[in-house]
């Protein structure tokens, strides 16, 4: 079965840039999505179709996807960006292992 | 505005069958491209995609759970039902219902329900 691997955790200082990777076989041939989940809340879509942001998602969130890796970048991280982040390869339905982002 | 709400038992016994209902509003499951799916999340663990039903009545299931899952729709009631058989302790999780949208050749889950927690215990 298809698998997507993410780093368990990423730390970033306020105002700095955080990058979260998502690795899977030929992931670049599929479309990747990213979801943000804060404690006790439902996940929220923040990136779809590799690079697009839904309405209301801040511009500091951006995505890319090439080769075997999709990347979510948070530029100018804020305290409210602390959350778990999950990638997904849509056509497989599979989610990544999840990354906890800490802003400190 | 699209909303989805999950409902069903909060406690089931091992070997029992779980039936969850997703009641939605703000869209029709007869519209081309639309789908409603199910995701679960065990306590402290990652999201797991379970399956989806499309406007065309086409269904897709997680390969690892396919033998235990059934998803059906009732478009007149704006409801989608998930059935999972032979529940086990490891199936304890929060179950989410989602709305699927399409964009070109891609699709994504743009609206999530609040989730319902199901505990499996004897």
């Amino acid at each position: 079965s298809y698998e997507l691997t993410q780093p368990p955790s990423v730390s970033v200082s306020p105002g700095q840039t955080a990058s979260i990777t998502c690795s899977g076989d030929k992931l670049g041939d599929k479309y990747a999505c990213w979801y943000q989940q804060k404690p006790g809340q439902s996940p929220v879509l923040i990136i779809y179709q590799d690079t697009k942001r839904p309405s209301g998602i801040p511009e500091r969130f951006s995505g890319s996807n090439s080769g075997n890796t999709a990347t979510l970048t948070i530029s100018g991280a804020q305290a409210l960006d602390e959350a778990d982040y999950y990638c997904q390869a849509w056509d497989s339905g599979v989610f990544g292992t999840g990354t906890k982002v800490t802003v400190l | 505005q699209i909303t989805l709400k999950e409902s069903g038992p909060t406690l089931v016994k091992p070997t029992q069958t779980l039936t969850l209902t997703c009641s939605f509003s703000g869209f029709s499951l007869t519209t081309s491209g639309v789908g409603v799916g199910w995701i679960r999340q065990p306590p402290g663990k990652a999201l797991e995609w379970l399956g989806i039903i499309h406007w065309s009545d086409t269904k897709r299931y997680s390969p690892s759970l396919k033998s235990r899952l059934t998803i059906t729709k009732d478009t007149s009631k704006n409801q989608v039902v998930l059935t999972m058989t032979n529940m086990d302790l490891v199936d304890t999780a929060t179950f989410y219902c989602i709305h699927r949208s399409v964009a070109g050749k891609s699709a994504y889950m743009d609206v999530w329900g609040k989730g319902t927690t199901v505990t499996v215990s004897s």
Side-chain angles (χ1 to χ4, degrees):
Chain A
S1 63
Y2 196 71
E3 295 183 354
L4 293 173
T5 302
Q6 300 178 233
S9 63
V10 167
S11 294
V12 60
S13 299
Q16 297 304 301
T17 296
S19 293
I20 305 165
T21 57
C22 173
S23 299
D25 184 47
K26 298 180 181 178
L27 180 55
D29 292 344
K30 311 176 190 295
Y31 282 114
C33 303
W34 289 91
Y35 301 87
Q36 177 195 67
Q37 186 180 31
K38 296 183 178 180
Q41 298 184 17
S42 302
V44 173
L45 176 71
I46 57 173
I47 295 289
Y48 68 98
Q49 208 168 339
D50 294 339
T51 62
K52 298 183 177 181
R53 281 178 290 104
S55 173
I57 301 302
E59 291 184 6
R60 64 180 180 274
F61 291 96
S62 62
S64 64
N65 187 15
S66 180
N68 295 321
T69 304
T71 302
L72 173 70
T73 301
I74 308 174
S75 303
Q78 300 181 11
L80 54 79
D81 298 331
E82 277 207 351
D84 293 326
Y85 292 82
Y86 295 92
C87 62
Q88 186 194 32
W90 175 255
D91 66 341
S92 70
V94 172
F95 286 97
T97 50
T99 299
K100 182 176 183 60
V101 170
T102 302
V103 181
L104 45 69
Chain B
Q1 179 190 6
I2 292 174
T3 63
L4 308 103
K5 184 175 183 179
E6 308 85 351
S7 61
T10 58
L11 179 66
V12 297
K13 297 183 187 306
T15 77
Q16 286 187 335
T17 294
L18 171 68
T19 299
L20 295 177
T21 299
C22 174
S23 301
F24 58 84
S25 63
F27 69 95
S28 172
L29 200 38
T30 61
T31 300
S32 178
V34 172
V36 172
W38 291 92
I39 313 299
R40 72 175 178 178
Q41 185 173 37
K45 296 189 177 181
L47 302 170
E48 181 181 15
W49 183 82
L50 299 180
I52 189 167
I53 187 165
H54 299 282
W55 83 102
S56 59
D57 206 36
T58 301
K59 301 156 194 177
R60 285 183 56 206
Y61 298 104
S62 165
S64 63
L65 294 168
K66 185 175 183 178
S67 64
R68 299 174 54 202
L69 297 175
T70 303
I71 299 176
T72 60
K73 62 181 173 73
D74 186 332
T75 53
S76 65
K77 293 182 178 179
N78 282 350
Q79 290 181 336
V80 168
V81 174
L82 171 74
T83 301
M84 179 179 285
T85 61
N86 194 25
M87 293 291 285
D88 185 85
L89 300 181
V90 299
D91 295 315
T92 293
T94 295
F95 288 75
Y96 295 100
C97 173
I98 62 93
H99 171 269
R100 168 197 188 264
S101 285
V102 292
K105 295 183 179 180
S106 77
Y108 47 90
M109 304 182 294
D110 57 347
V111 185
W112 294 59
K114 293 186 181 301
T116 186
T117 299
V118 178
T119 300
V120 183
S121 175
S122 56

